[in-house]
Amino acid sequence: MRPIRIDVTSERGPYPVLIGSGTVSRLPELLDRYGLGQQRLVVSSAPIWKLHGRQARGLVARGDKPAMMAVGERAKTLDTVRALYDACLSRGLDRSAALVAFGGGVVGDVAGFAAASYLRGIGLVQVPTTLLAQVDSSIGGKVGVNLPAGKNLVGAFYSPSLVVCDPDVLKTLPQREFRAGLYEVVKYGVIASRRLFDRVSRNLPAIVSHDRALLAGIVAECCRIKAQVVMSDERESGPRRALNFGHTVGHALEALTQYRRFRHGEAVGYGMLAAARLSVLRGALSLDDEQSLMDVTRAMGRLPRVEDLSARDAIDAIARDKKVVNGRLHFVLAASIGSTVIVSDVQTKELLHVMRTLGMRD
Ligand SMILES: NC(=O)c1ccc[n+]([C@@H]2O[C@H](COP(=O)([O-])OP(=O)(O)OC[C@H]3O[C@@H](n4cnc5c(N)ncnc54)[C@H](O)[C@@H]3O)[C@@H](O)[C@H]2O)c1
Ligand SMILES: [Zn+2]
């Protein structure tokens, strides 16, 4: 089956996103076709490479091996970036070289930042292996790392030269990771496509059991939406804000629980319900559409509890969030399933109310 191809334009030039079953085993051929890196360094994590590296082994030159990062958010640091610079230097990589980020969003963000900064920028290929990374983090060029003071505080806009999404690799994802990514898929439906939303709602069991063709189509639709949004607003000054639907309350829940209780997508799941409630109260969204969102999130399974979390503490976390610009909170509301409207006059009182409707305490 030929991969689906989506072309993205960016300040650094155009790049294709290829989505298709079996594309990982064709990586050496694809990189050659797009003229990427006679010299290349694959960056991954041991568990991911163990599961899927065999198919991609042709990427690694004889006598070389991938640079392995530790697993998870804790590895998203400047120390890891420095270790990647060392790996580049020890292989004598020059400006014509490319890093191949083979992993989830963490690997993509860190390897992307290393590629953006090593020798002031070398090639970057994203091979996302989580649903979240395939539909979100691999496209759009945001790369970076965390500081002890907070998440994603250091970074750059640095678009890849190629993105390759193989839905087959998602089979080994723990169910919880997969479902967490699915909340972002639902988000794309709410912000931009009723068709996508309905497709997900109607086919949830087949999606969760990894129906290949269905999954490839859904990933492609999300990539198309993300590509369209970032192309219209590469540096996130306007339309790109719609991607933050569900993220204001979502980020607050993650921060309140020290990023330990929720997978990012799960927090966004709550955030979308809160944003939908507020949208209804503001007269922007119909009760039917809110109900559709509630139905699909319920069908996706139970979310971690929020009953012990304080809505007031969440307000404080929101006030510290990056989305507050010049003291104003830009809040993304749903106007329907498939469109959004951004408001900047949301009152604390309203936020407290909608968070209580999620079950949070005062
Ligand atoms: N750059 C952006 O635009 C952007 C957007 C959204 C999120 N992010 C970032 O992405 C990160 C989260 O990404 P994530 O959710 O992919 O998490 P992750 O990279 O930590 O991966 C989640 C877990 O899945 C494992 N894994 C990855 N692929 C696997 C596979 N195919 N089979 C089995 N296990 C696999 C990983 O080892 C890890 O344990 C966060 O740091 C977030 O800030 C960036
Ligand atoms: Zn998100």
Side-chain angles (χ1 to χ4, degrees), residues 209-221:
S209 51
H210 296 97
D211 179 306
R212 271 187 191 178
L214 192 59
L215 206 49
I218 283 170
V219 168
E221 194 52 36

Side-chain angles (χ1 to χ4, degrees), residues 4 6 8 17 19 131-139 165 181-193 195-197 199-200 207 214-230 243:
I4 302 168
I6 294 160
V8 189
V17 180
I19 303 119
L131 182 56
L132 176 119
Q134 293 197 349
V135 300
D136 190 357
S137 58
S138 61
I139 303 170
C165 300
L182 215 44
Y183 287 101
E184 298 278 3
V185 172
V186 169
K187 178 198 79 177
Y188 284 114
V190 175
I191 66 170
S193 169
R195 214 176 52 141
L196 172 65
F197 183 91
R199 204 161 160 204
V200 174
I207 295 169
L214 192 59
L215 206 49
I218 283 170
V219 168
E221 194 52 36
C222 296
C223 291
R224 223 171 262 132
I225 296 170
K226 172 115 194 207
Q228 215 161 36
V229 175
V230 299
L243 295 170

Side-chain angles (χ1 to χ4, degrees), residues 244-259:
N244 285 329
F245 179 71
H247 281 59
T248 306
V249 170
H251 282 154
L253 293 177
E254 288 184 279
L256 279 187
T257 51
Q258 288 74 45
Y259 297 89

